Amino acid sequence: MALIDNRPRRCSCRRMNMFYLIDTSGSMNYNGCIDSVNAAMPEIVDILTDISSSNRDQGEIYLSCITFGNDARMLYDRPVAAPDFRWANVRAGGLTNLEAAFRMLESQMHRSSGLNSEDGHLRPAVILMTDGDPDDGWESALEKLQQNRWFREAYKIAIAIGANAGTKMMKRALTKFAEPLDAGGPMTIINISDLTRLHEVVRFVSSTVSRLGSQSTGAARGVGSVGEEINNAVRREFNPVDGVDIPPISGDDRPWW
Amino acid sequence: MPRLKPGTRLAMSDGRPLVVLGFIASGGQGEVYKVRLENRIMALKWYTERNIIDNNGFLATLRYNCAQEPPSAAFIWPEGVTKRMYGSYGYVMRLRPETYFDLGKFFCIDRYPEAYFRSWLAKLTAALKICDGFSRLHIDGFSYQDLNDGNFLIHPVTGDVLICDNDNIAMDGYNNGIGGKPHYMAPEVMSGKIPNTESDRFSLAIVLYRIFMVDHPFEGRTTCSSRYVCMTPAEEASLFGKDAVFCYDRIDASNRPDERRHPNSVKYWAQLPESIRDMFCRALSRQAVRQPSLRVKASEWKRLLLRLRAELVTCRALAEDPLHDFLVDGRLPAVCPACGEMYDSGFKLRFANGSEYRVTEGKPLFFADSFVPVGYGRRISLPGGGEALALENSSRVPWNIVSPKGSVMCVEPGTMFQLVPDIEIIFPGIRAKVHV
């Protein structure tokens, strides 16, 4: 009797999880920020699907989106493979409860919840997009998040939206969030003052980090330098265009721009 | 969002106009579009990666390659470079046929259910075509530099191969900034050395293993252990580079495939003849990983694969199943290794140059290293009852057969004759005798 099936099985593939933390506070209504996010996300999903399909056995890309206004919400209750992810437009309103977003992210970064692939994972990436001062409470939530091993390993990218975004509190929050921790390399904080470029920058950063993260060449680049590559790529792509910058991080309290 | 909209007008460097018809796909270096160049519908690769756009050395190499002949018909060769426009440039090539799949898709049957090889012969053909292409490329003094699963389009039924992304090809010893893809990159390239023919050989061994086995040769119990649940770039560079352990390494058994996670390696390795197992063990050994000069050349692979093609046996019981044939090496197994049934081992053609070719039902007959079949083994009904194996002449020229008693018969194209021991077949330019 012939064997019923000599077809191959799917190859095991590690996952690269991309976590988006998206500010949906009321101020995101100004200058069409939330519209830009809503326009960019479906395209990002397409790009990540492309990258994931061309490289699937090395790193299959999974997405999670946490929006935060008065509270934090997840679009799906668990990470979803890029080709299966459907973006649902979000509306802006309310406060900037970054604390809730950090706590929700922390709850997802465990083997028992969002990072449970049997085939293992590559370093995740967390992209935070916000346009204003976070409400109180974010620091203790971030401290807890920074104890999380997955977060420590993750590539962390902060995107500051709007020219008026450089307040002391926001700078502190983003600077602390973007500390590379175990991922090494420099911080990646991108300031977008020209809001017409928000869409483009978010798309570019997503595509770059997912490509670098899921096809990492490790020693070829110098281990831990994904952050540097992202920064270089953003500089190459957007500078000297006004309105997109990677501000130098210094210890003082001056605004970045 | 694609950077070029349908209707965008570009120009080739010689001034010929080019019109963008639509977006096809995007990749690491750029985007691919369907374009019209004069009366031809072609593909345009348009670079979006700043490192390439600003790299004049890359552009010069690309222009040089366009002026060369492709090493073989399998290469989808760059045919011309565009002028710099809209902040970038690209090159045109023939369109990829839709019935072919990227090799990478063969690893994801859950997403691409049609992307799997239908026979061992298709696997052999794909492997042979790749080795043939790279052997010619290396002889011509070039190295591919970025050999990986994304470079090959393969027909899952025939195993026909088209080699893509030939813009990376450069004279051996020269690098235009291309490094390679992790899990395929040689360790010395990972640590900053220039890719060359020896690093191509490292990547080639991995590509060939994946054609036959599907899973990755360096994936095993070590790489999937809980220690690497969040694999960092440093760990990846080590486990798939300088410290890589082949999952069937003859000496180090620490990274054997795991039945649940690497079922293909387990299943297909058991069906491989010893000669090709030996070759994989040599090509992917710790020594070959670390010492580039010890790597197996494309021409060595080609010799072995041609021998396996000549020896391949089809199994009638498996006719409806994927992989309805099996590889043998010298001694025939008592039963089909795939289905466990008795099988017909057919006849052997022993050529005057000493080479042999086994003919079984449905199996194409190829001369030497050709990919064009000249005949097929066929099952025929005998007038007095019963069945026998015949050989159909599918070439364009007649053959003659000489019986043991000396009578001669002509076999016209499209006709067939029963194979019996000791008859002689006179093909154009070479004779062969039929043996059991």
mmCIF file of all heavy atoms in Angstrom, chain A residues 1-3 6-11 14 43 50 56-58 118 121 211 215-216 219-220, chain B residues 26 107-108 110 181-182 190 210 219 223 229 231 236 260-261 264 267-268 321 338-339 341:
data_model
loop_
_atom_site.group_PDB
_atom_site.id
_atom_site.type_symbol
_atom_site.label_atom_id
_atom_site.label_comp_id
_atom_site.label_asym_id
_atom_site.label_seq_id
_atom_site.Cartn_x
_atom_site.Cartn_y
_atom_site.Cartn_z
ATOM 1 N N MET A 1 0.833 -1.196 0.000
ATOM 2 C CA MET A 1 0.000 0.000 0.000
ATOM 3 C C MET A 1 0.875 1.256 0.000
ATOM 4 O O MET A 1 1.841 1.340 0.748
ATOM 5 C CB MET A 1 -0.880 -0.004 1.250
ATOM 6 C CG MET A 1 -1.973 1.013 1.211
ATOM 7 S SD MET A 1 -2.880 1.034 2.764
ATOM 8 C CE MET A 1 -1.758 1.907 3.818
ATOM 9 N N ALA A 2 0.507 2.173 -0.834
ATOM 10 C CA ALA A 2 1.307 3.393 -0.922
ATOM 11 C C ALA A 2 1.113 4.251 0.328
ATOM 12 O O ALA A 2 0.056 4.222 0.934
ATOM 13 C CB ALA A 2 0.878 4.187 -2.147
ATOM 14 N N LEU A 3 2.148 4.962 0.670
ATOM 15 C CA LEU A 3 1.994 5.918 1.774
ATOM 16 C C LEU A 3 0.959 6.948 1.353
ATOM 17 O O LEU A 3 0.882 7.342 0.189
ATOM 18 C CB LEU A 3 3.318 6.650 2.018
ATOM 19 C CG LEU A 3 4.429 5.861 2.679
ATOM 20 C CD1 LEU A 3 5.651 6.752 2.809
ATOM 21 C CD2 LEU A 3 4.005 5.378 4.042
ATOM 22 N N ASN A 6 3.365 11.719 1.158
ATOM 23 C CA ASN A 6 4.799 11.961 1.245
ATOM 24 C C ASN A 6 5.095 13.446 1.021
ATOM 25 O O ASN A 6 6.210 13.829 0.736
ATOM 26 C CB ASN A 6 5.531 11.109 0.203
ATOM 27 C CG ASN A 6 6.942 10.761 0.661
ATOM 28 O OD1 ASN A 6 7.344 11.080 1.781
ATOM 29 N ND2 ASN A 6 7.708 10.139 -0.198
ATOM 30 N N ARG A 7 4.035 14.240 1.133
ATOM 31 C CA ARG A 7 4.215 15.692 0.994
ATOM 32 C C ARG A 7 5.010 16.216 2.192
ATOM 33 O O ARG A 7 4.942 15.652 3.276
ATOM 34 C CB ARG A 7 2.861 16.413 1.027
ATOM 35 C CG ARG A 7 2.060 16.305 -0.237
ATOM 36 C CD ARG A 7 0.792 17.139 -0.073
ATOM 37 N NE ARG A 7 -0.041 17.061 -1.251
ATOM 38 C CZ ARG A 7 -0.918 16.091 -1.471
ATOM 39 N NH1 ARG A 7 -1.071 15.120 -0.593
ATOM 40 N NH2 ARG A 7 -1.631 16.076 -2.562
ATOM 41 N N PRO A 8 5.685 17.336 1.984
ATOM 42 C CA PRO A 8 6.395 17.913 3.135
ATOM 43 C C PRO A 8 5.421 18.537 4.130
ATOM 44 O O PRO A 8 4.266 18.821 3.785
ATOM 45 C CB PRO A 8 7.266 18.983 2.499
ATOM 46 C CG PRO A 8 6.567 19.350 1.241
ATOM 47 C CD PRO A 8 5.848 18.121 0.768
ATOM 48 N N ARG A 9 5.881 18.719 5.330
ATOM 49 C CA ARG A 9 5.137 19.526 6.314
ATOM 50 C C ARG A 9 5.736 20.929 6.291
ATOM 51 O O ARG A 9 6.852 21.121 5.813
ATOM 52 C CB ARG A 9 5.317 18.950 7.718
ATOM 53 C CG ARG A 9 4.945 17.492 7.826
ATOM 54 C CD ARG A 9 3.464 17.357 8.135
ATOM 55 N NE ARG A 9 3.098 15.946 8.160
ATOM 56 C CZ ARG A 9 3.267 15.163 9.219
ATOM 57 N NH1 ARG A 9 3.809 15.640 10.311
ATOM 58 N NH2 ARG A 9 2.898 13.894 9.173
ATOM 59 N N ARG A 10 5.006 21.858 6.851
ATOM 60 C CA ARG A 10 5.555 23.215 6.920
ATOM 61 C C ARG A 10 6.814 23.211 7.784
ATOM 62 O O ARG A 10 6.913 22.427 8.735
ATOM 63 C CB ARG A 10 4.534 24.191 7.500
ATOM 64 C CG ARG A 10 4.367 24.089 8.990
ATOM 65 C CD ARG A 10 3.235 24.953 9.482
ATOM 66 N NE ARG A 10 3.651 26.294 9.815
ATOM 67 C CZ ARG A 10 4.214 26.646 10.975
ATOM 68 N NH1 ARG A 10 4.461 25.745 11.900
ATOM 69 N NH2 ARG A 10 4.522 27.900 11.207
ATOM 70 N N CYS A 11 7.745 24.039 7.421
ATOM 71 C CA CYS A 11 8.976 24.131 8.207
ATOM 72 C C CYS A 11 8.697 24.904 9.483
ATOM 73 O O CYS A 11 7.855 25.804 9.490
ATOM 74 C CB CYS A 11 10.030 24.914 7.447
ATOM 75 S SG CYS A 11 10.642 24.047 6.050
ATOM 76 N N ARG A 14 10.547 30.675 13.299
ATOM 77 C CA ARG A 14 10.455 31.548 14.477
ATOM 78 C C ARG A 14 9.552 32.733 14.153
ATOM 79 O O ARG A 14 9.386 33.081 12.997
ATOM 80 C CB ARG A 14 11.858 32.030 14.862
ATOM 81 C CG ARG A 14 12.665 30.929 15.466
ATOM 82 C CD ARG A 14 14.096 31.283 15.775
ATOM 83 N NE ARG A 14 14.761 30.042 16.170
ATOM 84 C CZ ARG A 14 15.222 29.143 15.321
ATOM 85 N NH1 ARG A 14 15.150 29.368 14.027
ATOM 86 N NH2 ARG A 14 15.755 28.018 15.746
ATOM 87 N N GLU A 43 -1.473 49.795 5.087
ATOM 88 C CA GLU A 43 -0.313 49.652 4.195
ATOM 89 C C GLU A 43 0.820 48.936 4.903
ATOM 90 O O GLU A 43 1.532 48.125 4.311
ATOM 91 C CB GLU A 43 0.179 51.026 3.755
ATOM 92 C CG GLU A 43 -0.704 51.672 2.721
ATOM 93 C CD GLU A 43 -0.181 53.046 2.353
ATOM 94 O OE1 GLU A 43 1.031 53.288 2.508
ATOM 95 O OE2 GLU A 43 -0.994 53.881 1.937
ATOM 96 N N ASP A 50 4.241 41.109 3.004
ATOM 97 C CA ASP A 50 5.232 40.872 1.943
ATOM 98 C C ASP A 50 6.557 40.390 2.520
ATOM 99 O O ASP A 50 7.139 39.412 2.046
ATOM 100 C CB ASP A 50 5.518 42.204 1.238
ATOM 101 C CG ASP A 50 4.917 42.261 -0.129
ATOM 102 O OD1 ASP A 50 4.031 41.440 -0.410
ATOM 103 O OD2 ASP A 50 5.333 43.147 -0.908
ATOM 104 N N ARG A 56 9.547 33.663 5.288
ATOM 105 C CA ARG A 56 8.718 33.115 6.337
ATOM 106 C C ARG A 56 9.422 32.080 7.202
ATOM 107 O O ARG A 56 9.228 32.022 8.407
ATOM 108 C CB ARG A 56 7.460 32.512 5.718
ATOM 109 C CG ARG A 56 6.485 32.084 6.761
ATOM 110 C CD ARG A 56 5.089 32.108 6.259
ATOM 111 N NE ARG A 56 4.262 31.467 7.247
ATOM 112 C CZ ARG A 56 3.910 30.207 7.164
ATOM 113 N NH1 ARG A 56 4.300 29.479 6.145
ATOM 114 N NH2 ARG A 56 3.168 29.677 8.104
ATOM 115 N N ASP A 57 10.234 31.246 6.582
ATOM 116 C CA ASP A 57 10.817 30.181 7.396
ATOM 117 C C ASP A 57 11.878 30.713 8.347
ATOM 118 O O ASP A 57 12.302 30.031 9.253
ATOM 119 C CB ASP A 57 11.383 29.063 6.523
ATOM 120 C CG ASP A 57 12.596 29.508 5.768
ATOM 121 O OD1 ASP A 57 12.527 30.587 5.167
ATOM 122 O OD2 ASP A 57 13.606 28.794 5.791
ATOM 123 N N GLN A 58 12.313 31.963 8.134
ATOM 124 C CA GLN A 58 13.290 32.525 9.056
ATOM 125 C C GLN A 58 12.644 33.345 10.139
ATOM 126 O O GLN A 58 13.120 33.382 11.258
ATOM 127 C CB GLN A 58 14.245 33.431 8.292
ATOM 128 C CG GLN A 58 15.508 32.732 7.920
ATOM 129 C CD GLN A 58 16.307 33.617 7.019
ATOM 130 O OE1 GLN A 58 16.121 33.640 5.815
ATOM 131 N NE2 GLN A 58 17.180 34.371 7.607
ATOM 132 N N GLU A 118 5.582 27.630 19.484
ATOM 133 C CA GLU A 118 6.375 26.424 19.779
ATOM 134 C C GLU A 118 7.714 26.448 19.065
ATOM 135 O O GLU A 118 8.665 25.810 19.487
ATOM 136 C CB GLU A 118 5.612 25.185 19.303
ATOM 137 C CG GLU A 118 4.545 24.731 20.234
ATOM 138 C CD GLU A 118 4.174 23.287 19.960
ATOM 139 O OE1 GLU A 118 4.562 22.760 18.910
ATOM 140 O OE2 GLU A 118 3.494 22.709 20.820
ATOM 141 N N HIS A 121 11.020 32.308 18.974
ATOM 142 C CA HIS A 121 10.835 33.686 18.519
ATOM 143 C C HIS A 121 12.170 34.327 18.192
ATOM 144 O O HIS A 121 13.219 33.870 18.658
ATOM 145 C CB HIS A 121 10.184 34.518 19.631
ATOM 146 C CG HIS A 121 8.769 34.117 19.913
ATOM 147 N ND1 HIS A 121 7.687 34.830 19.468
ATOM 148 C CD2 HIS A 121 8.265 33.056 20.595
ATOM 149 C CE1 HIS A 121 6.574 34.232 19.861
ATOM 150 N NE2 HIS A 121 6.899 33.149 20.552
ATOM 151 N N ARG A 211 12.197 44.046 8.681
ATOM 152 C CA ARG A 211 13.144 43.400 7.768
ATOM 153 C C ARG A 211 14.454 43.101 8.494
ATOM 154 O O ARG A 211 14.969 41.998 8.425
ATOM 155 C CB ARG A 211 13.387 44.305 6.561
ATOM 156 C CG ARG A 211 14.211 43.677 5.491
ATOM 157 C CD ARG A 211 14.160 44.479 4.206
ATOM 158 N NE ARG A 211 12.954 44.218 3.460
ATOM 159 C CZ ARG A 211 12.143 45.140 2.953
ATOM 160 N NH1 ARG A 211 12.417 46.409 3.131
ATOM 161 N NH2 ARG A 211 11.081 44.801 2.283
ATOM 162 N N GLN A 215 15.399 39.255 9.493
ATOM 163 C CA GLN A 215 16.460 38.724 8.630
ATOM 164 C C GLN A 215 17.805 39.139 9.200
ATOM 165 O O GLN A 215 18.711 39.466 8.460
ATOM 166 C CB GLN A 215 16.335 39.271 7.213
ATOM 167 C CG GLN A 215 14.993 38.974 6.598
ATOM 168 C CD GLN A 215 14.877 39.533 5.194
ATOM 169 O OE1 GLN A 215 15.793 40.132 4.671
ATOM 170 N NE2 GLN A 215 13.736 39.313 4.583
ATOM 171 N N SER A 216 17.883 39.138 10.515
ATOM 172 C CA SER A 216 19.073 39.691 11.130
ATOM 173 C C SER A 216 20.310 38.934 10.697
ATOM 174 O O SER A 216 20.289 37.733 10.526
ATOM 175 C CB SER A 216 18.951 39.640 12.640
ATOM 176 O OG SER A 216 18.776 38.309 13.029
ATOM 177 N N ALA A 219 26.307 38.992 13.344
ATOM 178 C CA ALA A 219 27.701 39.417 13.295
ATOM 179 C C ALA A 219 28.015 40.256 12.069
ATOM 180 O O ALA A 219 28.911 41.091 12.095
ATOM 181 C CB ALA A 219 28.599 38.196 13.332
ATOM 182 N N ALA A 220 27.260 40.021 10.991
ATOM 183 C CA ALA A 220 27.548 40.760 9.768
ATOM 184 C C ALA A 220 27.394 42.249 9.999
ATOM 185 O O ALA A 220 28.061 43.062 9.388
ATOM 186 C CB ALA A 220 26.609 40.314 8.663
ATOM 187 N N SER B 26 7.379 43.632 -3.647
ATOM 188 C CA SER B 26 8.514 44.378 -3.099
ATOM 189 C C SER B 26 9.425 43.414 -2.377
ATOM 190 O O SER B 26 8.994 42.338 -1.961
ATOM 191 C CB SER B 26 8.037 45.479 -2.158
ATOM 192 O OG SER B 26 7.387 44.908 -1.052
ATOM 193 N N PHE B 107 8.826 25.859 1.447
ATOM 194 C CA PHE B 107 9.015 25.563 2.872
ATOM 195 C C PHE B 107 7.745 25.886 3.668
ATOM 196 O O PHE B 107 7.704 25.713 4.872
ATOM 197 C CB PHE B 107 10.185 26.374 3.460
ATOM 198 C CG PHE B 107 11.438 26.335 2.628
ATOM 199 C CD1 PHE B 107 12.305 27.421 2.589
ATOM 200 C CD2 PHE B 107 11.765 25.213 1.884
ATOM 201 C CE1 PHE B 107 13.453 27.396 1.820
ATOM 202 C CE2 PHE B 107 12.911 25.179 1.110
ATOM 203 C CZ PHE B 107 13.754 26.271 1.083
ATOM 204 N N CYS B 108 6.742 26.418 2.997
ATOM 205 C CA CYS B 108 5.544 26.896 3.700
ATOM 206 C C CYS B 108 4.309 26.303 3.045
ATOM 207 O O CYS B 108 3.473 27.037 2.497
ATOM 208 C CB CYS B 108 5.471 28.416 3.646
ATOM 209 S SG CYS B 108 6.985 29.235 4.085
ATOM 210 N N ASP B 110 1.726 25.172 4.212
ATOM 211 C CA ASP B 110 0.456 25.587 4.804
ATOM 212 C C ASP B 110 -0.074 26.855 4.145
ATOM 213 O O ASP B 110 -1.278 27.046 4.046
ATOM 214 C CB ASP B 110 0.599 25.781 6.323
ATOM 215 C CG ASP B 110 1.736 26.718 6.675
ATOM 216 O OD1 ASP B 110 2.730 26.772 5.932
ATOM 217 O OD2 ASP B 110 1.636 27.410 7.695
ATOM 218 N N LYS B 181 21.939 36.598 2.739
ATOM 219 C CA LYS B 181 20.784 36.428 3.606
ATOM 220 C C LYS B 181 21.170 35.504 4.753
ATOM 221 O O LYS B 181 21.777 34.459 4.511
ATOM 222 C CB LYS B 181 19.641 35.829 2.782
ATOM 223 C CG LYS B 181 18.345 35.672 3.524
ATOM 224 C CD LYS B 181 17.240 35.238 2.580
ATOM 225 C CE LYS B 181 15.965 34.928 3.340
ATOM 226 N NZ LYS B 181 14.872 34.537 2.469
ATOM 227 N N PRO B 182 20.817 35.873 5.971
ATOM 228 C CA PRO B 182 21.148 35.006 7.097
ATOM 229 C C PRO B 182 20.550 33.621 6.908
ATOM 230 O O PRO B 182 19.539 33.466 6.230
ATOM 231 C CB PRO B 182 20.513 35.699 8.290
ATOM 232 C CG PRO B 182 19.830 36.886 7.791
ATOM 233 C CD PRO B 182 20.084 37.066 6.358
ATOM 234 N N MET B 190 29.635 36.622 7.070
ATOM 235 C CA MET B 190 29.012 37.229 8.254
ATOM 236 C C MET B 190 30.019 38.058 9.030
ATOM 237 O O MET B 190 29.671 39.062 9.633
ATOM 238 C CB MET B 190 28.474 36.146 9.181
ATOM 239 C CG MET B 190 27.168 35.559 8.751
ATOM 240 S SD MET B 190 26.489 34.677 10.151
ATOM 241 C CE MET B 190 25.046 33.953 9.417
ATOM 242 N N ARG B 210 17.846 21.917 1.232
ATOM 243 C CA ARG B 210 16.444 22.322 1.402
ATOM 244 C C ARG B 210 15.583 21.870 0.220
ATOM 245 O O ARG B 210 14.391 21.673 0.372
ATOM 246 C CB ARG B 210 16.357 23.834 1.615
ATOM 247 C CG ARG B 210 17.159 24.263 2.848
ATOM 248 C CD ARG B 210 16.667 25.518 3.445
ATOM 249 N NE ARG B 210 15.395 25.284 4.126
ATOM 250 C CZ ARG B 210 14.769 26.198 4.849
ATOM 251 N NH1 ARG B 210 15.292 27.389 4.978
ATOM 252 N NH2 ARG B 210 13.629 25.918 5.440
ATOM 253 N N GLU B 219 19.055 23.377 11.467
ATOM 254 C CA GLU B 219 17.985 23.375 12.474
ATOM 255 C C GLU B 219 17.903 21.979 13.083
ATOM 256 O O GLU B 219 17.813 20.985 12.348
ATOM 257 C CB GLU B 219 16.627 23.694 11.833
ATOM 258 C CG GLU B 219 16.443 25.136 11.415
ATOM 259 C CD GLU B 219 16.002 26.064 12.542
ATOM 260 O OE1 GLU B 219 16.095 25.666 13.719
ATOM 261 O OE2 GLU B 219 15.599 27.193 12.216
ATOM 262 N N THR B 223 19.039 24.078 18.147
ATOM 263 C CA THR B 223 18.504 25.397 17.769
ATOM 264 C C THR B 223 17.080 25.600 18.255
ATOM 265 O O THR B 223 16.644 26.733 18.413
ATOM 266 C CB THR B 223 18.547 25.601 16.240
ATOM 267 O OG1 THR B 223 17.835 24.528 15.629
ATOM 268 C CG2 THR B 223 19.956 25.635 15.714
ATOM 269 N N VAL B 229 14.653 30.360 22.998
ATOM 270 C CA VAL B 229 13.252 30.695 22.762
ATOM 271 C C VAL B 229 13.103 32.116 22.201
ATOM 272 O O VAL B 229 12.190 32.397 21.426
ATOM 273 C CB VAL B 229 12.412 30.485 24.041
ATOM 274 C CG1 VAL B 229 12.781 31.495 25.110
ATOM 275 C CG2 VAL B 229 10.940 30.531 23.742
ATOM 276 N N MET B 231 15.590 34.049 20.080
ATOM 277 C CA MET B 231 16.929 33.972 19.505
ATOM 278 C C MET B 231 17.444 35.361 19.158
ATOM 279 O O MET B 231 16.808 36.104 18.410
ATOM 280 C CB MET B 231 16.904 33.080 18.263
ATOM 281 C CG MET B 231 18.296 32.717 17.809
ATOM 282 S SD MET B 231 18.303 31.499 16.485
ATOM 283 C CE MET B 231 18.155 29.970 17.379
ATOM 284 N N GLU B 236 21.923 33.704 16.577
ATOM 285 C CA GLU B 236 21.613 33.290 15.206
ATOM 286 C C GLU B 236 22.888 33.229 14.365
ATOM 287 O O GLU B 236 23.103 32.275 13.608
ATOM 288 C CB GLU B 236 20.635 34.306 14.606
ATOM 289 C CG GLU B 236 19.689 33.696 13.628
ATOM 290 C CD GLU B 236 18.697 34.706 13.098
ATOM 291 O OE1 GLU B 236 18.786 35.899 13.429
ATOM 292 O OE2 GLU B 236 17.834 34.280 12.332
ATOM 293 N N ARG B 260 9.117 16.283 15.687
ATOM 294 C CA ARG B 260 7.945 17.152 15.638
ATOM 295 C C ARG B 260 8.242 18.469 14.898
ATOM 296 O O ARG B 260 7.430 18.956 14.131
ATOM 297 C CB ARG B 260 7.486 17.448 17.069
ATOM 298 C CG ARG B 260 6.013 17.782 17.192
ATOM 299 C CD ARG B 260 5.531 17.558 18.608
ATOM 300 N NE ARG B 260 6.403 18.176 19.592
ATOM 301 C CZ ARG B 260 6.309 19.442 19.988
ATOM 302 N NH1 ARG B 260 5.383 20.219 19.478
ATOM 303 N NH2 ARG B 260 7.126 19.926 20.896
ATOM 304 N N ARG B 261 9.419 18.990 15.135
ATOM 305 C CA ARG B 261 9.711 20.301 14.544
ATOM 306 C C ARG B 261 10.417 20.222 13.195
ATOM 307 O O ARG B 261 10.371 21.172 12.419
ATOM 308 C CB ARG B 261 10.551 21.120 15.511
ATOM 309 C CG ARG B 261 9.684 21.619 16.632
ATOM 310 C CD ARG B 261 10.500 22.253 17.690
ATOM 311 N NE ARG B 261 9.645 22.781 18.726
ATOM 312 C CZ ARG B 261 10.063 23.053 19.935
ATOM 313 N NH1 ARG B 261 11.321 22.857 20.252
ATOM 314 N NH2 ARG B 261 9.242 23.524 20.835
ATOM 315 N N ASN B 264 10.405 16.936 8.125
ATOM 316 C CA ASN B 264 10.848 16.697 6.748
ATOM 317 C C ASN B 264 12.263 16.148 6.717
ATOM 318 O O ASN B 264 12.557 15.219 5.962
ATOM 319 C CB ASN B 264 10.762 17.992 5.931
ATOM 320 C CG ASN B 264 9.378 18.582 5.980
ATOM 321 O OD1 ASN B 264 8.408 17.915 5.657
ATOM 322 N ND2 ASN B 264 9.271 19.832 6.418
ATOM 323 N N LYS B 267 11.943 12.501 7.710
ATOM 324 C CA LYS B 267 11.279 11.633 6.721
ATOM 325 C C LYS B 267 12.120 11.440 5.460
ATOM 326 O O LYS B 267 12.305 10.319 4.989
ATOM 327 C CB LYS B 267 9.926 12.250 6.357
ATOM 328 C CG LYS B 267 9.174 11.497 5.282
ATOM 329 C CD LYS B 267 7.719 11.900 5.201
ATOM 330 C CE LYS B 267 7.498 13.344 4.855
ATOM 331 N NZ LYS B 267 6.077 13.676 4.746
ATOM 332 N N TYR B 268 12.623 12.527 4.912
ATOM 333 C CA TYR B 268 13.300 12.418 3.620
ATOM 334 C C TYR B 268 14.727 11.900 3.735
ATOM 335 O O TYR B 268 15.226 11.283 2.801
ATOM 336 C CB TYR B 268 13.257 13.764 2.878
ATOM 337 C CG TYR B 268 11.854 14.208 2.529
ATOM 338 C CD1 TYR B 268 11.419 15.492 2.794
ATOM 339 C CD2 TYR B 268 10.952 13.330 1.939
ATOM 340 C CE1 TYR B 268 10.122 15.902 2.483
ATOM 341 C CE2 TYR B 268 9.658 13.725 1.621
ATOM 342 C CZ TYR B 268 9.254 15.007 1.899
ATOM 343 O OH TYR B 268 7.979 15.407 1.585
ATOM 344 N N ASP B 321 0.634 9.355 -6.057
ATOM 345 C CA ASP B 321 1.127 10.053 -4.868
ATOM 346 C C ASP B 321 2.233 11.032 -5.213
ATOM 347 O O ASP B 321 2.924 10.871 -6.207
ATOM 348 C CB ASP B 321 1.692 9.041 -3.862
ATOM 349 C CG ASP B 321 0.585 8.298 -3.175
ATOM 350 O OD1 ASP B 321 -0.574 8.692 -3.364
ATOM 351 O OD2 ASP B 321 0.881 7.336 -2.475
ATOM 352 N N ALA B 338 9.373 3.935 -0.282
ATOM 353 C CA ALA B 338 8.278 4.848 0.070
ATOM 354 C C ALA B 338 6.997 4.096 0.397
ATOM 355 O O ALA B 338 6.282 4.450 1.311
ATOM 356 C CB ALA B 338 8.039 5.833 -1.064
ATOM 357 N N CYS B 339 6.687 3.031 -0.371
ATOM 358 C CA CYS B 339 5.393 2.378 -0.156
ATOM 359 C C CYS B 339 5.537 0.960 0.396
ATOM 360 O O CYS B 339 4.549 0.352 0.797
ATOM 361 C CB CYS B 339 4.584 2.353 -1.449
ATOM 362 S SG CYS B 339 5.218 1.243 -2.696
ATOM 363 N N GLU B 341 6.105 -1.727 -1.215
ATOM 364 C CA GLU B 341 5.647 -2.738 -2.175
ATOM 365 C C GLU B 341 6.798 -3.173 -3.087
ATOM 366 O O GLU B 341 7.785 -2.454 -3.245
ATOM 367 C CB GLU B 341 4.542 -2.137 -3.052
ATOM 368 C CG GLU B 341 3.279 -1.773 -2.305
ATOM 369 C CD GLU B 341 2.465 -2.998 -1.934
ATOM 370 O OE1 GLU B 341 1.977 -3.686 -2.847
ATOM 371 O OE2 GLU B 341 2.340 -3.271 -0.724
#
